[in-house]
Amino acid sequence: MATQDQLNALIADIASDINGFIGASVVDVESGLPLASKSIRPEFDLDVASAYNSEMVKNKRKTIDALRLEATLEDMLLTLDTQLHLLKMIDDDTFIYLAADRQATNIALLRSAVNRHVAALNA
């Protein structure tokens, strides 16, 4: 598992690399608690978002098991009319949650930046 400094650096690097960055957190899947987080909008509650997104990850894993798929969850993308939300698994126990303004970025750029930074963390 990465150190606190590495997780904070991951969030900071992603924030500076993504146009339209709203907020991001590294989340413990089991507890739903953010291990590191940053938001540029005070009203964007990353504690709440982390908890609910953790439930989505757990439920998607249950779906994969129920369907007896030989697969591992890599990421989940949610598109809203004004925002893009990406959940990217870092390892079995943690994921990164990212929200960005849809007018300032696109899915390909968002996914590419997050994948690059997570790969660097896991290297």
Side-chain angles (χ1 to χ4, degrees), residues 23-39:
S25 56
V26 175
V27 184
D28 175 76
V29 172
E30 192 56 38
S31 69
L33 294 173
L35 304 173
S37 63
K38 176 180 180 169
S39 175

Side-chain angles (χ1 to χ4, degrees), residues 42-89:
E43 74 282 1
F44 197 82
D45 191 337
L46 284 168
D47 290 339
V48 170
S50 297
Y52 279 108
N53 285 310
S54 178
E55 292 304 312
M56 285 181 28
V57 168
K58 288 188 260 188
N59 284 323
K60 181 49 69 178
R61 286 179 171 172
K62 287 178 185 176
T63 303
I64 291 168
D65 290 344
L67 295 173
R68 296 187 178 109
L69 300 176
E70 299 284 332
T72 303
L73 179 61
E74 289 183 9
D75 65 29
M76 296 167 53
L77 178 66
L78 300 122
T79 57
L80 308 178
D81 60 344
T82 60
Q83 298 176 3
L84 299 172
H85 293 224
L86 178 67
L87 285 73
K88 169 72 178 168
M89 300 306 299

Side-chain angles (χ1 to χ4, degrees), residues 1 6-15 18 21 23-29 34-38 46 49-50 53-54 57 74-78 85-91 93-99 110-111 113-119 121-122:
M1 180 63 193
Q6 290 171 316
L7 296 179
N8 291 335
L10 172 68
I11 297 289
D13 291 345
I14 288 173
I18 294 177
F21 176 88
S25 56
V26 175
V27 184
D28 175 76
V29 172
L35 304 173
S37 63
K38 176 180 180 169
L46 284 168
S50 297
N53 285 310
S54 178
V57 168
E74 289 183 9
D75 65 29
M76 296 167 53
L77 178 66
L78 300 122
H85 293 224
L86 178 67
L87 285 73
K88 169 72 178 168
M89 300 306 299
I90 295 174
D91 55 35
D93 301 319
T94 55
F95 65 91
I96 185 159
Y97 163 66
L98 170 69
L110 190 72
R111 191 177 246 160
V114 171
N115 285 341
R116 185 174 58 254
H117 289 290
V118 169
L121 177 71
N122 289 330

